[in-house]
Amino acid sequence: MNTEKISDKKKEKILIIEDEQDIAELEKDYLELADFEVEIENDGKSGLAKALESEADLIILDLMLPGVDGFEICKRVREEKNTPIIMVSAKKDDIDKIRGLGLGADDYMTKPFSPSELVARVKAHLARYERLLGSVPHENSIIEIRGVRIDKTARRVSVNGTEKPFTTKEFDLLTFLAEHPNRVYSKDELFREIWDMDSIGDIATVTVHIKKIREKIEVNTAKPQYIETIWGVGYRFKV
Ligand code: CA
C-alpha cells in the first residue's frame, strides 16, 4: 500500500530497529506525529540490511536484537555511512559499555524513555547533521585554472598563491566565466546573469568589471591569458 503523501517538503526518514513491537510502534506513532516518515525492522539481520541499503536520515537502534546485535549494526553502518544513530538499551550498564567502545553512535538513551524526549533528540541530531553537511565544502567549490584559484565557499581569489581583493560583482563575474570555460558570452548576457534586472548600469558596467578583473589576474592586461575579448561578440574564459 502506498501511503506516501504529496507534500512540498520531503519528509525525513527514520529507521527504527527494535525487536519489541510495542516500543517500536510507540516510537513510530510519535515520530509520525512530528511529521517524519518511519520504517521499522524487528530483527538485527533485516535491520542491518535495511540500514545499509536505505536512505534513512537517522537510525534509532536497539542494542539487544535477535540475529545481529546493535553493537555490530552500529559498527557496520559506521564503516559506510555517517547517518546519525541513536542507540537505545534497557540497561544503563550497556549504555556505558557502548560509549566505551566508541562505535560512533551519536546518542544513547536508556529505556524506558518518554517518546517526546526521543522526538526532541531526533530533531536535534538531524539539525546538527544538516549543519555539518552544510559546512563541508562541496567538491566543486574550488576552481583552479593555471594559477588562478577561486574558492567559491570563502569567496576568495588568489593568483599564483597571492590573494587578490575582489568586489562582489567582480567575484561573481569571474566565477561565472570560469565555470563556463571556452564559451563566449555577450556583454548583454553577462549583465543579465550577474546584475539584477533593476540594478543601475548597463553593459558598459561589464566592460569596466572585466578590466578590473584583468588587472588582478592577468600578467599583461594587453594580452589577456584568461579572459579573452572576442571582438564584436563578447568575452570568454580560456582554458
Ligand atoms: Ca531488544
Side-chain angles (χ1 to χ4, degrees):
M1 189 175 66
N2 187 1
T3 54
E4 268 179 22
K5 279 188 224 137
I6 296 162
S7 102
D8 290 349
K9 190 177 177 287
K10 202 169 147 278
K11 286 190 182 189
E12 287 172 300
K13 286 187 195 142
I14 312 296
L15 171 61
I16 298 172
I17 307 175
E18 170 64 71
D19 59 326
E20 286 169 79
Q21 194 63 38
D22 292 353
I23 293 178
E25 290 295 339
L26 183 67
E27 291 173 355
K28 184 172 191 269
D29 287 347
Y30 272 79
L31 289 163
E32 282 181 345
L33 277 173
D35 217 24
F36 292 106
E37 195 178 313
V38 182
E39 282 182 295
I40 297 174
E41 289 295 337
N42 293 120
D43 73 86
K45 203 155 171 255
S46 63
L48 175 60
K50 181 68 87 176
L52 292 176
E53 88 190 13
S54 85
E55 309 253 296
D57 295 295
L58 184 145
I59 300 166
I60 297 168
L61 177 60
D62 182 35
L63 184 62
M64 299 310 288
L65 293 163
V68 186
D69 69 18
F71 291 110
E72 182 67 17
I73 294 175
C74 185
K75 190 167 139 268
R76 296 277 303 277
V77 170
R78 269 297 163 270
E79 284 167 4
E80 293 186 30
K81 298 178 175 205
N82 293 317
T83 315
I85 298 174
I86 298 177
M87 292 200 77
V88 297
S89 172
K91 285 192 272 178
K92 175 80 174 60
D93 291 354
D94 286 338
I95 299 289
D96 293 338
K97 195 174 159 198
I98 308 168
R99 280 184 202 276
L101 285 171
L103 293 173
D106 295 82
D107 205 350
Y108 314 89
M109 294 181 84
T110 311
K111 292 181 199 170
F113 46 77
S114 86
S116 44
E117 157 112 37
L118 176 71
V119 171
R121 292 211 197 178
V122 165
K123 285 181 177 172
H125 283 287
L126 285 170
R128 187 179 147 269
Y129 188 60
E130 273 158 29
R131 278 201 304 277
L132 209 67
L133 286 183
S135 67
V136 175
H138 297 293
E139 269 180 53
N140 63 352
S141 72
I142 299 213
I143 304 167
E144 196 149 19
I145 301 164
R146 289 178 284 118
V148 174
R149 188 174 191 273
I150 305 168
D151 185 334
K152 286 164 65 185
T153 308
R155 293 185 66 87
R156 284 180 171 166
V157 180
S158 62
V159 181
N160 297 320
T162 307
E163 196 175 325
K164 305 279 179 175
F166 269 68
T167 66
T168 303
K169 293 300 180 198
E170 287 166 8
F171 182 88
D172 292 344
L173 182 56
L174 173 67
T175 304
F176 178 76
L177 286 168
E179 282 184 323
H180 304 87
N182 296 327
R183 208 182 131 179
V184 183
Y185 288 94
S186 70
K187 290 174 193 175
D188 259 327
E189 285 173 315
L190 291 173
F191 187 74
R192 279 199 306 265
E193 192 64 46
I194 308 300
W195 281 266
D196 301 329
M197 290 308 277
D198 55 352
S199 71
I200 300 160
D202 53 43
I203 58 171
T205 312
V206 177
T207 316
V208 172
H209 279 74
I210 292 283
K211 183 170 175 282
K212 287 186 176 159
I213 293 170
R214 279 178 176 156
E215 284 165 3
K216 292 168 195 182
I217 66 171
E218 300 284 356
V219 177
N220 178 358
T221 53
K223 285 185 182 171
Q225 298 301 302
Y226 298 101
I227 301 175
E228 272 188 318
T229 302
I230 310 297
W231 292 109
V233 189
Y235 302 100
R236 74 167 174 190
F237 196 102
K238 191 168 66 172
V239 171

